[in-house]
Amino acid sequence: MKYLRGLLAITFMLFITVSCEDFSLDLNVENLENPDDDILTSDPVAVEATASGILNGWYLTVHSYYGPGAALQTMADASTCSWGNMAMNDLSGEPRSSFNNYSSYTYSYISYDYFNALYSVLYDANTVVSAVNNDLEFDDPDLVEMIGRAGQAISVGYLAMLFDRVWISDENGSVYDDDVDYEVAMEWALDRMDEAIAIAETGVTITSDYLPVGSGTASTFAQFLNSMAARMLVCNVRNSSEKASIDWDRVYTYASNGLTDDYTITMDDSEWYNEIPATYLVYPSWGRVDMRVVNLMDPNTPAIWPEDSTVLSESTSADARLESDYSYLSSQNFNSTRGSYHYSSYRYSALDDYITSWDTDLTEISASENDMYKAEALLNLGSVSAAAEVVNSSTRVTRGGLDPVEADADEVQDAIFYERMVEFAYTGMGISFFEMRKEDLLQEGTMLHFPIPGKALESLEEDYYTYGGTSGTAGEDYSEGGWELEYDE
């Protein structure tokens, strides 16, 4: 099995662009991993080297073993795993409990490492944009600026999707006097994404030094950014009430200019690799597919594992993907003392080529994912028939072989949700969690976002707090209901 790789420890010096006065002196630690800022921003070779690592830094962060991705997948009941690694068992326990946000917690790294690493990406992106603004000469200044703006967007955007609040800085320093909530942070991130998209649409070519594009081409990078913007905008809300506040016109614009083919990245098992979800949630003896997802494909299969059972019969489905993308298992390897609700009779097998060779192309955003953002935007803008047409021309029919949906709002919405659970739950990090959160389907007590990591709170000299269980505000910080209420144990 591929060995575990930890992200290098990153000091809180990353926050210096947010204004050192706002933070404890403990944050003001020299970052020996980076050259002096004055030297860096005056050396085009150094700046280009920094720029070339921005997308890689983001990708490895969101797909890291040491990030929140595995826990999010089990919290969403998209995958299931009783192992304690990555806080999977703690955060998917039933009933749900609060997240242990103390810095001493064994799995505190799932929030802290992610938090730190994304601020590192933001720091590098700000450095790059500053150098461009200072008229440093590059072979391709548009490429460098595009990557810098995209780095600002995806770092802040992915912080907003996961945490309750965000500190924002740009090439000029602190943007706000203090932290802002996730909605303000996402708006800022999308404005930066719009700047990156505008540059990309002029025909800037992205090279393999910046991103080893797989089956796509350099010219599709603008589409990739548009689809990423649609993803961030839709996935940022914390509950179904907030869905109404999504700018669906903006989502439609992004998705209309988004991907028409899957956007893949070439893995090399050295600089580019995917630990979550493409390794630990699919590798034999690790994560399995939650029975709730199997039940979506075969309603005759129980969504909740029956007590006192260890084996279920193989499921059948009109959806061809149950056979092509999933594999039946006739035994359990999870710890029974941790609850039979972890049991499952299926694993996700569509990525078996990757976990065998480690150097295949992996999809980050699929055309189907983009289609569903477009369909959902049309649906919420009142164009039900057009939304149904998008759904019926996508993977529901082309890969699943399922019957087309009628032009009925509920049927279309259900089909969109279904595709997010079945077709691309193992591509981008947290897709299933964000969807379940948006639809108020996370189990009761599941936290809706992470608090600022405990180690950061200590540096900031802020009081400890956390979410989940009954900690926080119901419906805003932790789920009030959930999908299980529809089923009898």
Side-chain angles (χ1 to χ4, degrees):
M1 180 184 289
K2 178 180 174 183
Y3 61 88
L4 304 182
R5 301 180 182 84
L7 293 174
L8 294 174
I10 302 171
T11 73
F12 267 94
M13 181 59 179
L14 305 174
F15 276 115
I16 61 173
T17 55
V18 184
S19 174
C20 291
E21 292 83 3
D22 294 338
F23 296 89
S24 159
L25 291 178
D26 290 341
L27 307 183
N28 194 17
V29 179
E30 183 180 5
N31 185 356
L32 299 178
E33 299 296 327
N34 290 305
D36 179 81
D37 289 347
D38 291 337
I39 296 175
L40 174 60
T41 55
S42 63
D43 181 353
V45 175
V47 173
E48 288 182 348
T50 298
S52 68
I54 285 174
L55 295 177
N56 178 260
W58 165 80
Y59 186 87
L60 294 186
T61 296
V62 300
H63 292 291
S64 173
Y65 172 97
Y66 295 98
L72 293 176
Q73 194 90 340
T74 58
M75 290 160 68
D77 295 315
S79 295
T80 181
C81 190
S82 71
W83 308 141
N85 310 62
M86 301 165 273
M88 287 187 292
N89 183 59
D90 288 348
L91 289 176
S92 66
E94 297 180 13
R96 297 289 199 255
S97 59
S98 63
F99 174 61
N100 184 339
N101 196 33
Y102 288 105
S103 59
S104 58
Y105 175 49
T106 301
Y107 307 115
S108 62
Y109 58 74
I110 70 165
S111 65
Y112 182 70
D113 283 19
Y114 178 93
F115 182 84
N116 247 8
L118 284 179
Y119 276 110
S120 178
V121 173
L122 177 61
Y123 179 86
D124 286 346
N126 291 343
T127 299
V128 166
V129 175
S130 177
V132 172
N133 289 348
N134 289 332
D135 297 323
L136 201 61
E137 294 186 3
F138 302 103
D139 292 336
D140 191 343
D142 288 341
L143 171 61
V144 175
E145 182 178 5
M146 177 184 69
I147 294 299
R149 293 300 184 190
Q152 290 175 325
I154 58 179
S155 57
V156 172
Y158 269 73
L159 286 164
M161 287 192 288
L162 260 293
F163 293 101
D164 57 342
R165 50 199 175 109
V166 182
W167 286 267
I168 302 178
S169 65
D170 64 9
E171 66 275 13
N172 299 311
S174 178
V175 176
Y176 299 98
D177 292 335
D178 204 346
D179 60 272
V180 296
D181 65 31
Y182 58 89
E183 293 176 312
V184 173
M186 184 57 72
E187 186 64 27
W188 186 89
L190 290 171
D191 287 345
R192 302 293 78 73
M193 188 67 86
D194 288 345
E195 293 174 350
I197 290 170
I199 299 171
E201 289 178 344
T202 65
V204 175
T205 299
I206 190 166
T207 67
S208 59
D209 293 340
Y210 288 77
L211 185 69
V213 180
S215 58
T217 64
S219 63
T220 61
F221 190 65
Q223 294 180 352
F224 171 80
L225 293 178
N226 274 287
S227 293
M228 180 63 71
R231 172 193 282 180
M232 295 195 309
L233 183 51
V234 173
C235 291
N236 198 47
V237 299
R238 269 44 176 182
N239 52 55
S240 62
S241 297
E242 291 185 3
K243 241 191 348 180
S245 67
I246 295 176
D247 186 344
W248 291 109
D249 283 310
R250 193 173 188 180
V251 174
Y252 179 76
T253 298
Y254 285 138
S256 294
N257 292 294
L259 294 164
T260 55
D261 294 297
D262 294 352
Y263 197 87
T264 65
I265 301 172
T266 302
M267 303 293 109
D268 60 12
D269 199 35
S270 175
E271 299 299 322
W272 291 88
Y273 48 89
N274 184 313
E275 294 172 327
I276 304 296
T279 298
Y280 290 98
L281 292 178
V282 305
Y283 206 90
S285 298
W286 280 82
R288 295 187 176 191
V289 178
D290 196 278
M291 294 307 297
R292 183 190 61 83
V293 177
V294 179
N295 171 264
L296 289 175
M297 291 184 280
D298 178 14
N300 292 318
T301 297
I304 300 171
W305 191 271
E307 292 185 7
D308 302 321
S309 298
T310 57
V311 178
L312 292 180
S313 300
E314 190 168 359
S315 301
T316 59
S317 177
D319 192 330
R321 290 169 292 187
L322 180 62
E323 183 175 346
S324 65
D325 296 357
Y326 299 79
S327 291
Y328 172 70
L329 301 169
S330 60
S331 63
Q332 303 300 326
N333 65 335
F334 292 151
N335 188 334
S336 61
T337 64
R338 293 182 176 179
S340 62
Y341 54 81
H342 287 300
Y343 286 177
S344 171
S345 55
Y346 278 85
R347 59 175 288 269
Y348 190 73
S349 56
L351 295 173
D352 282 358
D353 285 348
Y354 175 64
I355 61 173
T356 301
S357 67
W358 307 112
D359 60 1
T360 62
D361 289 353
L362 287 183
T363 299
E364 173 57 32
I365 302 182
S366 66
S368 176
E369 181 180 345
N370 185 78
D371 287 343
M372 294 308 106
Y373 296 132
K374 185 175 183 179
E376 191 171 19
L378 287 165
L379 182 63
N380 283 276
L381 292 171
S383 300
V384 180
S385 296
E389 288 179 10
V390 173
V391 170
N392 292 333
S393 63
S394 73
T395 48
R396 171 184 172 83
V397 175
T398 60
R399 294 197 68 242
L402 294 172
D403 292 336
V405 298
E406 300 294 332
D408 173 83
D410 290 338
E411 191 174 342
V412 172
Q413 183 63 64
D414 288 346
I416 292 170
F417 174 83
Y418 182 97
E419 287 305 293
R420 288 185 176 140
M421 295 298 109
V422 171
E423 175 66 24
F424 47 86
Y426 291 84
T427 53
M429 185 276 291
I431 297 297
S432 298
F433 176 84
F434 300 135
E435 175 67 4
M436 294 286 283
R437 179 174 70 178
K438 177 171 67 69
E439 300 300 330
D440 295 334
L441 291 174
L442 294 171
Q443 284 196 43
E444 184 176 7
T446 306
M447 66 175 174
L448 300 179
H449 47 204
F450 280 85
I452 298 304
K455 189 176 292 187
L457 293 176
E458 292 170 5
S459 296
L460 293 163
E461 298 184 348
E462 286 194 14
D463 292 338
Y464 172 90
Y465 73 101
T466 193
Y467 299 128
T470 58
S471 298
T473 301
E476 296 179 11
D477 301 316
Y478 66 87
S479 175
E480 292 183 282
W483 67 272
E484 279 199 329
L485 298 179
E486 301 176 7
Y487 297 85
D488 294 325
E489 292 283 355

